[in-house]
Amino acid sequence: MKTAITYGTFDMFHIGHLNIIRRIREHCDRLIVAVSTDEFNAGKGKKAFIPFEDRVEIVKACRYVDKVIPETSWEQKREDILREKADIFVIGDDWKGKFDHLSDICSVMYLSRTPGVSSTMLRKIRASAPDE
Ligand code: C2G
């Protein structure tokens, strides 16, 4: 039983989010996703459009996801990996190299991002869209 863990905001859930979750699931039997809380995002200088509770429900509903936990700090990854007995930490290659320090307790994998789509872009489109 191989467990993978990944982290993210998953705001305005889009094909880039689905692609990476689906691809991670090809490397494991169990996938845990840590979703950034609104407070943690504020620390990242990010303001998600979709509230944390809804982002959690949407990720939970994804067929490739077995468990969702909150991401409340940068430092929790090591503790999460040990608690969940995760074998692989996986994240998009926009973070390449940033989490190599976790390689003493699990494999660290960076997967290529899906080009042409981002939550930021979708938020901008939504902001400029006329109210329906
Ligand atoms: N992603 C992707 N392709 C995109 C957009 C995002 O593969 N077009 C991936 C990212 O690389 C990341 C995941 O989807 O692995 C979630 O992306 P974000 O919600 O933007 O997450 P981020 O804000 O980068 O938070 O502690 C780590 C942070 O919580 C990551």
Side-chain angles (χ1 to χ4, degrees):
M1 165 75 103
K2 189 170 271 193
T3 296
I5 192 166
T6 192
Y7 292 72
T9 304
F10 298 100
D11 189 26
M12 300 184 81
F13 197 84
H14 55 67
I15 190 64
H17 297 140
L18 179 59
N19 282 342
I20 196 159
I21 283 174
R22 180 166 41 204
R23 286 167 62 208
I24 296 172
R25 198 60 177 72
E26 289 165 9
H27 298 275
C28 65
D29 310 293
R30 177 174 174 253
L31 172 55
I32 299 156
V33 181
V35 176
S36 314
T37 60
D38 294 331
E39 296 73 15
F40 178 57
N41 268 332
K44 285 190 220 171
K46 281 180 108 166
K47 183 168 175 16
F49 182 77
I50 306 297
F52 170 69
E53 294 72 19
D54 295 357
R55 292 186 281 112
V56 166
E57 286 309 305
I58 291 166
V59 172
K60 264 185 186 168
C62 181
R63 64 190 298 187
Y64 302 105
V65 177
D66 298 283
K67 182 176 183 181
V68 175
I69 60 175
E71 180 182 29
T72 57
S73 78
W74 289 110
E75 297 75 28
Q76 70 181 75
K77 294 182 175 70
R78 184 168 289 271
E79 180 190 329
D80 292 343
I81 290 164
L82 294 172
R83 183 189 65 250
E84 299 294 343
K85 299 182 174 52
D87 306 284
I88 328 168
F89 169 91
V90 194
I91 199 161
D93 61 5
D94 43 323
W95 292 92
K96 192 156 183 60
K98 297 288 192 307
F99 301 110
D100 293 353
H101 61 278
L102 296 170
S103 58
D104 61 321
I105 55 171
C106 66
S107 304
V108 176
M109 195 185 284
Y110 301 98
L111 296 179
S112 53
R113 280 171 66 94
T114 300
V117 63
S118 71
S119 305
T120 307
M121 179 190 81
L122 295 176
R123 280 195 294 269
K124 282 184 183 145
I125 292 169
R126 193 194 173 297
S128 59
D131 285 340
E132 51 274 344

